[in-house]
Amino acid sequence: MTTILDGKKLRDKKIAFLEEKLLELKEQLGLVVIQVGEDEASNVYVKQKEKLAKKLGYYFIHKKFPKETTTEELINYIDYLNSLDNIDGIIVQMPLPDHIDSSMVQNAINSYKDVDGLTYINHGKLLHGEESLYPCTPKGIIDILDEYEIPIEGANAVIIGRSILVGKPLSLMLTNRNATVTLLHSKSKNIEYYTKNADILIAAVGKKHFIKEDMVKNKSTIIDVGINRDNGKLYGDVDYENVYPKVNYITPVPGGVGPMTVYELMNNVYIAHNMRKKVLKK
Ligand SMILES: NC(=O)c1ccc[n+]([C@@H]2O[C@H](COP(=O)([O-])OP(=O)(O)OC[C@H]3O[C@@H](n4cnc5c(N)ncnc54)[C@H](OP(=O)(O)O)[C@@H]3O)[C@@H](O)[C@H]2O)c1
């Protein structure tokens, strides 16, 4: 029998738990999302973040800059946010226009406020297996695996897609949890060889139905990160209907990894707040 890994249900459970912790905290947490220009997908993602942040009672600012804003102007604004005690988390919504140095802007964020977990410092801490703010989508994937008690230690975990947002950090998180990790990308040869041997297969490619039923191992776990729009409908990277009967666990799209990503961001704001307070006390 196949179990559907229900990201929405898990998100709701985790949010209820976070709400309890926030009540105990008795302080309002602050989150700022910086957006440059008018990217349509970014508008949708920011709205999702705003909705959940407000539900949790966070002080939320959506700071919009015109598309001609310079790298320096953005860094100046981030410096200002870094100095504010009531701001716990800062996000720069990607993509930024081409003339902006995205890396410089991202790394201007104080690592204790980097709730996307994308600064060099937080990547370095992840590499060393140290406590830090970890990227939200991979963290959501680990939480799904843990919730359903899917063994990570010793598992053959195969990730397709090596983005800095998903594949690379996830490969480290799974390695830190003692999985044997294979990270595949567009130059990898004979992809099926690896996917057919995967106890846990994570697809983060961005291609509708890239993973077919003859590419997966019987009774394995399938995590579908892909979000592909086709004729107004959402599809994952996995051919869900045909893969489903073959495997033990599978995430749906929508309703799998996506909802967990937004939750992890809100939880990172809470973690960021506590980490910063701890550091300031020292
Ligand atoms: N659910 C969520 O919360 C969430 C969060 C983030 C992203 N996503 C979705 O996840 C998907 C991936 O996004 P991303 O930002 O992680 O990655 P990305 O930057 O879009 O890159 C895609 C990755 O897939 C690899 N790839 C492309 N074609 C391939 C092929 N034929 N065989 C093997 N590998 C191939 C690329 O290899 P190269 O490196 O060699 O180019 C690259 O590493 C997208 O659909 C995105 O919308 C969902």
Side-chain angles (χ1 to χ4, degrees):
M1 222 191 63
T2 310
T3 300
I4 296 172
L5 301 170
D6 190 337
K8 267 193 195 162
K9 202 167 132 193
L10 181 57
R11 173 199 62 190
D12 292 346
K13 183 176 155 182
K14 295 257 181 200
I15 285 174
F17 186 56
L18 177 58
E19 280 175 323
E20 278 174 31
K21 292 193 290 187
L22 290 170
L23 275 179
E24 280 169 29
L25 194 67
K26 294 190 178 70
E27 277 173 86
Q28 191 183 28
L29 301 185
L31 173 63
V32 181
V33 178
I34 299 168
Q35 189 183 350
V36 182
E38 281 290 345
D39 181 70
E40 223 174 274
S42 291
N43 286 337
V44 175
Y45 293 136
V46 176
K47 280 263 163 333
Q48 288 172 354
K49 290 167 190 173
E50 181 169 9
K51 198 173 154 203
L52 187 51
K54 289 193 169 159
K55 176 179 152 47
L56 290 166
Y58 290 3
Y59 169 59
F60 182 89
I61 299 174
H62 179 188
K63 179 73 179 174
K64 275 193 169 182
F65 284 89
K67 64 176 187 318
E68 52 280 356
T69 304
T70 64
T71 302
E72 195 186 357
E73 283 166 330
L74 283 179
I75 290 178
N76 284 342
Y77 181 62
I78 291 170
D79 281 346
Y80 164 68
L81 295 176
N82 284 339
S83 73
L84 298 179
D85 190 47
N86 65 332
I87 299 304
D88 298 287
I90 304 166
I91 296 172
V92 178
Q93 195 65 43
M94 297 292 169
L96 290 173
D98 288 345
H99 68 275
I100 293 175
D101 187 331
S102 301
S103 177
M104 267 184 86
V105 168
Q106 187 69 54
N107 283 288
I109 299 173
N110 179 313
S111 65
Y112 289 102
K113 297 191 179 193
D114 167 29
V115 286
D116 265 339
L118 295 175
T119 54
Y120 294 153
I121 291 179
N122 281 326
H123 279 151
K125 286 184 176 176
L126 171 58
L127 187 66
H128 286 266
E130 280 178 30
E131 187 195 359
S132 76
L133 293 164
Y134 289 167
C136 301
T137 302
K139 222 174 151 197
I141 293 170
I142 299 284
D143 275 353
I144 291 175
L145 295 172
D146 285 343
E147 173 71 12
Y148 287 85
E149 295 178 358
I150 295 163
I152 296 176
E153 183 161 322
N156 248 345
V158 174
I159 306 165
I160 317 180
R162 57 176 164 180
S163 73
I164 208 78
L165 211 59
V166 185
K168 278 185 188 164
L170 181 61
S171 69
L172 289 172
M173 285 184 208
L174 290 169
T175 303
N176 292 344
R177 290 282 300 269
N178 297 323
T180 305
V181 180
T182 306
L183 185 56
L184 303 171
H185 45 79
S186 68
K187 309 288 182 292
S188 299
K189 290 179 183 144
N190 203 0
I191 281 188
E192 287 87 346
Y193 167 78
Y194 299 98
T195 59
K196 275 181 189 163
N197 285 301
D199 302 312
I200 303 172
L201 176 62
I202 300 111
V205 187
K207 293 198 167 143
K208 180 186 164 188
H209 293 180
F210 183 81
I211 300 292
K212 311 279 185 210
E213 75 266 32
D214 58 358
M215 293 169 73
V216 304
K217 182 179 172 182
N218 280 332
K219 300 186 188 300
S220 59
T221 296
I222 310 292
I223 305 287
D224 190 350
V225 185
I227 301 174
N228 307 294
R229 285 183 175 81
D230 190 3
N231 269 327
K233 258 193 92 179
L234 281 190
Y235 296 89
D237 288 346
V238 177
D239 181 2
Y240 184 88
E241 297 299 322
N242 294 311
V243 169
Y244 174 94
K246 226 181 138 177
V247 299
N248 274 358
Y249 297 96
I250 187 165
T251 56
V253 175
V257 175
M260 286 303 292
T261 298
V262 195
Y263 155 73
E264 299 293 350
L265 176 65
M266 299 304 146
N267 194 43
N268 268 357
V269 177
Y270 174 77
I271 295 171
H273 175 85
N274 288 332
M275 281 175 77
R276 195 160 51 88
K277 295 286 149 172
K278 214 165 91 183
V279 169
L280 289 176
K281 261 192 210 159
K282 276 185 187 163

